Amino acid sequence: MPKKGTKSKKQADDVPDQQENKLPDYLELQRTRVVCNADAPIHTQGFQYSGAFAAMGVDNSVSVEKFCKNFKIDVKRLTEDDMEFDMIGVDASIANAFRRILISEVPTMAIEKIFMADNTSVIADEVLSHRLGLIPLDADPRLFDYISENDVPNERNTIVFKLHVSCQKGSQRITVKSGELEWLPEGSQLSMASPAQSGDKQKTFTSFSQSQKEILQKPLGVKFENITIARLGPGQSIELEAHAVKGVGKVHAKWSPVATAWYRMLPEVVILEQIEGDEAEELVKKCPVNVFDIEDLGNGGKRAVVAKPRACTLCRECVMGPSGEKIQLRRVRDHFIYTIESTGALPPEVLFTEAVKILEEKCEKVISELS
């Protein structure tokens, strides 16, 4: 006899295991896929709440164990400026959280203050300052501190650049490029006021105690040297000093580290019935991104097959017309194709790593406040 409060082995085996039970195919399709119909871009109805299939012995809730088991990152393309990877096993809310953090909360360095000494170009001071602020800087923001209104600009929170160009009278018009911004590792060279006495030190807009060359491993500059800043005619000149500080994209777009960060659910293209002959060739020509291809059956026949489902943009051209009923377009709910394009301050893989750290800090803060 088993002890009171315990179950025999036979009784334990009779208890249905929620992990092993499976839903009927049509319910599993609704749970895990988003169907795109011919009359609407996306059909989003589904069962997402945790107890949707409890009566059938299937646990639809979210848990750490399930996340650790199913979550996966699969890098498809990685270059210096952009990357594409698959994020598998997460909800759309998590994927969107990373997108928002990448755009607005990962810090970078950008030009914030402009001290204009001379500007006789046709571009107004405000427009020129705005152009300079949007130039991507080749500076690792992790090596610098944030600066507040009460802080003094120093070598740890400010990068100083100088721009001094002029077009001589009688010469042709010249184009001022971003590569002409000169990094000043010793700090500002513009004086705030004349010294009170001849022996006094000249007071500038920054207070560097040491050169930035001593604390940085590589020189600072702009990421792209061919960005047009202005065009100067004969006799015109620009002389200014630009101060870059650390910030985030939610304050101003110039601090956003990505040109774009976006995702889409993995497309699935399913041929429900065989499409053969001329109908198959018509289907192949109809798709603008060449998702379909022709397969030779060997006896002179041919049929349409899905060759590149990942390239599908859900334009729905294939589901229009007579053959549309033989094709079904779907999207996988927990499989996202993620693309990150960096502006150049940090590599795209580092940007994603920093976004993960920021989300981790947010979670820790919520947990600490709740406890």
Side-chain angles (χ1 to χ4, degrees):
M1 292 290 292
K3 294 182 180 179
K4 187 177 181 180
T6 64
K7 295 182 180 180
S8 65
K9 183 177 186 301
K10 184 177 184 303
Q11 289 175 325
D13 293 340
D14 291 341
V15 176
D17 189 354
Q18 291 186 339
Q19 300 298 327
E20 295 180 358
N21 291 346
K22 293 184 178 180
L23 293 172
D25 292 342
Y26 73 96
L27 286 180
E28 185 67 17
L29 178 65
Q30 292 185 25
R31 189 181 74 88
T32 61
R33 299 295 188 270
V34 178
V35 180
C36 177
N37 297 324
D39 56 346
I42 298 179
H43 181 63
T44 57
Q45 288 185 357
F47 303 99
Q48 298 300 305
Y49 56 95
S50 60
F53 309 105
M56 307 183 73
V58 176
D59 184 11
N60 199 44
S61 61
V62 179
S63 65
V64 177
E65 291 77 14
K66 285 185 179 180
F67 176 81
C68 295
K69 179 181 178 181
N70 299 327
F71 181 70
K72 182 181 177 182
I73 294 289
D74 186 10
V75 179
K76 298 295 184 181
R77 185 184 73 251
L78 177 60
T79 65
E80 182 182 358
D81 299 321
D82 69 331
M83 71 179 299
E84 181 183 298
F85 60 92
D86 287 5
M87 186 184 293
I88 307 169
V90 297
D91 187 73
S93 60
I94 303 298
N96 193 52
F98 284 121
R99 182 190 68 85
R100 292 173 65 91
I101 291 173
L102 283 165
I103 292 174
S104 62
E105 297 189 47
V106 176
T108 59
M109 303 296 291
I111 293 174
E112 169 68 359
K113 292 184 178 181
I114 302 292
F115 298 94
M116 197 76 65
D118 182 28
N119 178 22
T120 57
S121 69
V122 297
I123 302 178
D125 293 353
E126 295 82 1
V127 178
L128 183 59
S129 301
H130 185 264
R131 286 189 177 186
L132 291 169
L134 294 175
I135 295 175
L137 302 180
D138 188 11
D140 192 338
R142 297 171 294 181
L143 304 177
F144 295 89
D145 302 326
Y146 287 101
I147 184 172
S148 65
E149 295 180 357
N150 300 324
D151 291 337
V152 178
N154 56 52
E155 67 276 6
R156 294 290 180 178
N157 58 31
T158 304
I159 305 174
V160 182
F161 294 95
K162 180 179 72 173
L163 178 64
H164 189 186
V165 290
S166 60
C167 181
Q168 302 297 327
K169 292 183 179 180
S171 62
Q172 298 292 326
R173 294 173 63 88
I174 64 172
T175 302
V176 182
K177 300 284 189 177
S178 55
E180 298 185 62
L181 284 167
E182 179 186 353
W183 173 44
L184 302 179
E186 309 296 334
S188 176
Q189 296 179 350
L190 288 178
S191 59
M192 298 179 61
S194 301
Q197 298 180 2
S198 59
D200 292 345
K201 184 179 179 181
Q202 186 181 27
K203 188 176 182 180
T204 61
F205 288 96
T206 59
S207 179
F208 283 14
S209 59
Q210 59 178 328
S211 173
Q212 289 181 329
K213 289 182 177 180
E214 301 175 5
I215 60 177
L216 299 175
Q217 296 181 353
K218 67 174 186 177
L220 305 179
V222 297
K223 183 63 178 178
F224 307 103
E225 297 186 349
N226 59 346
I227 299 176
T228 300
I229 297 176
R231 285 180 61 82
L232 300 181
Q236 296 178 348
S237 64
I238 296 176
E239 183 180 0
L240 57 85
E241 198 171 80
H243 292 198
V245 298
K246 187 175 181 178
V248 292
K250 61 183 178 182
V251 176
H252 194 285
K254 65 185 177 184
W255 279 299
S256 182
V258 294
T260 182
W262 63 283
Y263 61 88
R264 60 189 179 102
M265 287 185 284
L266 178 71
E268 276 188 351
V269 183
V270 181
I271 298 179
L272 304 177
E273 300 179 22
Q274 282 197 11
I275 303 175
E276 301 178 346
D278 296 338
E279 193 178 12
E281 291 187 351
E282 182 181 351
L283 177 63
V284 171
K285 294 177 181 178
K286 189 185 296 184
C287 181
V289 290
N290 300 321
V291 169
F292 301 96
D293 199 0
I294 296 293
E295 182 184 31
D296 190 1
L297 299 179
N299 55 357
K302 48 192 173 184
R303 67 180 177 183
V305 294
V306 180
K308 298 188 296 182
R310 188 182 179 89
C312 178
T313 60
L314 295 184
C315 67
R316 296 181 294 155
E317 286 292 331
C318 59
V319 295
M320 303 293 185
S323 61
E325 297 180 356
K326 301 179 181 180
I327 299 173
Q328 188 175 62
L329 300 181
R330 307 170 185 168
R331 285 184 175 182
V332 184
R333 287 185 183 275
D334 63 347
H335 190 145
F336 300 94
I337 301 175
Y338 225 100
T339 304
I340 300 175
E341 294 182 10
S342 172
T343 58
L346 291 173
E349 68 274 17
V350 176
L351 290 178
F352 184 72
T353 305
E354 293 298 310
V356 172
K357 293 179 182 178
I358 293 174
L359 183 60
E360 182 182 5
E361 293 174 359
K362 288 175 176 287
C363 295
E364 291 177 351
K365 182 178 179 181
V366 171
I367 293 173
S368 64
E369 290 180 354
L370 291 176
S371 60

